Amino acid sequence: MKIAIRVDASVEMGIGHLQRCLSLARALQDLNTDVRFVTRDLGIASAKTILDRGFDRTVTLPAIDELFEPDPAIPHSRWANVSQDRDAEETISALEEFRPDWLVVDHYAFDAHWHDRVSSALDCRIAVIEDLADRAIDADLLLDHNLAPDHRAKYDERLVGKTRILGGTRYALLAPAYADAPPYEFSEQVRSIGVFMGGSDAPNYSELVVDALVEARFDGPVEIVTTSANPHLESLRQRVEALPNAMLSFDLPDLAAFFARHDLQIGAGGGATWERCCIGVPTLLVIAAENQNVVVPELAARGIVATVEDPTPQRIAGRITSLIGNPIERRGLASKARETVDGLGAVRVGLSMLKDTLSVRRATNEDARRLFDWRNAPENRAMMTNPEELAWADHVAWLSRVLADETRLLLIGHVGERDIGSIRFDLDEQGAAEVSLHIDARFHALGLGPKLLAAGEKESGASTFLATVLSKNRPSQALFERSGYERTGTQDWRKTAQ
């Protein structure tokens, strides 16, 4: 499958959009897709950043050579530096030969007009990465990985047509390395502090926090991280060099190790928030952009981060001091942060986009561990007729019997190289097959179940399919009903092959 990604970076918009798209691109690439970027140079070398991350077929749109009038219906229209119509035509031209199956667009300057025009011309599906809900959106898939009480209600008046929404931190777009990154190990004492206020930090909050640390009289090591895109880099460098206990790092390939090595993190409420949560480090967030005014207070209300209103060096210093002196609060922040993000968000988004490519293969003894983990996941056991946890030795013996039995077919579903679940058919002499399936609990609610069931049925060659579903298992009931099964009893379902 071919997927294109349209994204920009600039001092005004920052580099967070680009970073999260790169994270999604890596996950998509790991799922065996052909990924191509389309970007425009808006003062930050986005094409070079993309190339440095290993994506070497990026299309750079023409440089800006004219003034344009921002669209008053789109609050961030100026961020594109060109009209929607011009950008749409240039994007279409850039991708005409590639012909993507999906186009991912992460840009607040484009609305439903751009989405419809590009998708119609390229005959592709559109996935929009969004969190503002401030303009019309025409997309097959909308991703908003911020917290919200009800994402459907948030976008209810903005969506044109039928759109599937992936909402919440379960879909936070982090680089694949975060899924296995070592977490922060809690310390009762704050031995050092890390500061990252975003890749471009146009408002220069980094220096504001440095002033706050001086005000707080923190005498431990301080590491301030930024990038070459920071317009205040030289000024910040001079400021940091004047402090005996501070160091400046910039253009780090990823921030996982940085987040883990300090006992308190101070940052802006952008995309790096979810990286800090995944590492599980106590964090003090400063609202550094208008679109953070919703998510940061919500995170603070849930005890996931600490924050400070109307940030000044004095107010930030006071909050730093209180956090340093309160290890119980910091431990609570660390624990709730870690529960919020698990690092698999980009994989989930990729699987949701690529579910139509799901296929099956026959299970082998090498699948023992993954089958064991899927079967024993609490979310799966809760919906089984026998919810007891299975012992490893019993599982290994069971698998050997199943693989040796010609009347039983055990299949593994996968998207690309990612195994996502199993389906088993127990065949009788009349050609009927009892069906049982498990989806990896980490990938529930992505639409994988119907695809696994359909692929398994086709591979089995059975004429009739039977299933037993507990009355409390509403998701499985809906799965079988959507897949053409008819209820024949309180817990019994049946389907005749076409």
Side-chain angles (χ1 to χ4, degrees):
M1 188 170 282
K2 295 184 289 186
I3 298 181
I5 300 177
R6 173 72 185 92
V7 64
D8 290 334
S10 70
V11 170
E12 185 175 18
M13 75 174 70
I15 64 173
H17 299 267
L18 176 59
Q19 295 293 355
R20 64 191 184 188
C21 282
L22 285 164
S23 296
L24 177 58
R26 178 59 65 196
L28 290 167
Q29 192 176 62
D30 289 345
L31 293 170
N32 290 351
T33 61
D34 186 0
V35 181
R36 182 171 299 185
F37 278 84
V38 178
T39 190
R40 192 188 304 276
D41 187 344
L42 298 178
I44 291 179
S46 53
K48 182 181 183 303
T49 300
I50 295 166
L51 176 62
D52 290 345
R53 296 293 183 88
F55 298 94
D56 58 0
R57 290 188 295 165
T58 297
V59 178
T60 303
L61 299 181
I64 302 161
D65 57 5
E66 61 184 27
L67 296 176
F68 86 107
E69 191 68 29
D71 186 340
I74 305 176
H76 294 81
S77 173
R78 69 184 187 279
W79 280 15
N81 277 248
V82 296
S83 69
Q84 276 206 102
D85 286 331
R86 172 177 166 176
D87 196 282
E89 286 305 310
E90 291 176 350
T91 299
I92 292 166
S93 178
L95 295 172
E96 223 161 12
E97 184 178 343
F98 183 57
R99 307 301 295 185
D101 299 288
W102 279 94
L103 173 59
V104 178
V105 56
D106 189 348
H107 215 303
Y108 296 158
F110 307 145
D111 69 1
H113 173 72
W114 190 100
H115 304 148
D116 177 65
R117 187 166 179 179
V118 176
S119 65
S120 297
L122 296 175
D123 190 26
C124 67
R125 286 177 283 181
I126 292 283
V128 172
I129 301 176
E130 170 65 16
D131 52 67
L132 296 182
D134 65 352
R135 64 202 185 283
I137 294 170
D138 188 357
D140 299 276
L141 180 70
L142 184 148
L143 167 64
D144 180 348
H145 61 197
N146 283 329
L147 293 171
D150 185 338
H151 284 85
R152 178 62 61 177
K154 177 178 178 179
Y155 291 97
D156 187 50
E157 297 182 1
R158 298 297 185 182
L159 298 177
V160 177
K162 188 176 181 180
T163 302
R164 185 177 186 201
I165 297 177
L166 300 180
T169 58
R170 185 168 185 256
Y171 304 102
L173 297 176
L174 307 190
Y178 276 89
D180 300 314
Y184 163 73
E185 295 185 8
F186 186 79
S187 168
E188 294 286 325
Q189 297 181 333
V190 175
R191 297 161 298 185
S192 64
I193 293 176
V195 179
F196 176 65
M197 303 305 297
S200 60
D201 189 19
N204 201 13
Y205 277 97
S206 296
E207 290 197 43
L208 180 73
V209 173
V210 169
D211 291 340
L213 289 166
V214 172
E215 179 81 16
R217 298 183 179 180
F218 179 72
D219 57 4
V222 174
E223 182 179 8
I224 297 97
V225 169
T226 188
T227 74
S228 299
N230 188 334
H232 312 286
L233 181 57
E234 287 308 312
S235 170
L236 179 61
R237 191 197 306 273
Q238 293 174 18
R239 185 79 175 86
V240 171
E241 287 177 351
L243 301 177
N245 60 333
M247 64 174 289
L248 180 66
S249 302
F250 60 95
D251 295 338
L252 299 181
D254 74 68
L255 300 180
F258 161 70
F259 290 140
R261 65 176 167 255
H262 298 295
D263 299 309
L264 177 64
Q265 287 285 341
I266 304 173
T273 297
W274 312 124
E275 297 176 353
R276 298 184 189 94
C277 284
C278 186
I279 298 301
V281 59
T283 296
L284 172 61
L285 285 188
V286 176
I287 295 174
E290 182 180 351
N291 65 314
Q292 298 170 12
N293 278 315
V294 175
V295 66
V296 174
E298 181 68 20
L299 286 166
R302 299 190 189 193
I304 297 169
V305 303
T307 189
V308 56
E309 295 182 2
D310 301 321
T312 63
Q314 293 73 29
R315 291 193 180 99
I316 297 173
R319 198 67 181 95
I320 292 171
T321 300
S322 68
L323 286 167
I324 290 174
N326 193 338
I328 295 177
E329 181 181 9
R330 282 188 284 109
R331 187 184 291 275
L333 294 175
S335 177
K336 290 189 176 180
R338 183 69 173 156
E339 294 170 0
T340 302
V341 179
D342 65 3
L344 289 171
V347 177
R348 292 189 180 98
V349 176
L351 290 173
S352 183
M353 294 174 65
L354 301 174
K355 61 187 178 183
D356 290 343
T357 68
L358 185 149
S359 58
V360 293
R361 61 173 176 80
R362 288 179 178 260
T364 70
N365 283 311
E366 293 181 357
D367 295 307
R369 174 54 63 178
R370 60 178 60 90
L371 287 164
F372 179 76
D373 291 342
W374 294 341
R375 192 272 177 204
N376 270 352
E379 302 92 328
N380 287 338
R381 285 191 290 109
M383 298 301 174
M384 293 178 185
T385 54
N386 177 15
E388 297 300 317
E389 188 168 355
L390 187 66
W392 172 251
D394 293 337
H395 169 72
V396 172
W398 169 87
L399 180 58
S400 295
R401 292 195 302 271
V402 169
L403 296 180
D405 190 340
E406 293 183 357
T407 67
R408 307 176 89 177
L409 176 65
L410 181 60
L411 303 169
I412 303 295
H414 60 97
V415 176
E417 302 301 317
R418 170 75 67 165
D419 294 324
I420 58 85
S422 66
I423 185 166
R424 191 183 78 248
F425 298 88
D426 295 339
L427 306 167
D428 66 18
E429 294 178 356
Q430 286 72 44
E434 180 78 21
V435 184
S436 176
L437 76 163
H438 299 305
I439 299 292
D440 185 333
R442 300 172 300 173
F443 304 133
H444 283 177
L446 300 180
L448 297 168
K451 304 300 179 181
L452 177 58
L453 183 56
E457 289 173 351
K458 183 177 180 180
E459 182 72 16
S460 74
S463 59
T464 304
F465 302 99
L466 309 172
T468 301
V469 183
L470 296 182
S471 56
K472 67 179 180 179
N473 192 350
R474 303 291 186 184
S476 285
Q477 290 178 16
L479 162 63
F480 283 106
E481 186 172 11
R482 287 197 307 269
S483 300
Y485 286 68
E486 295 181 356
R487 189 194 295 270
T488 59
T490 305
Q491 299 183 154
D492 300 324
W493 296 76
R494 181 186 183 93
K495 175 182 178 180
T496 301
Q498 300 296 319

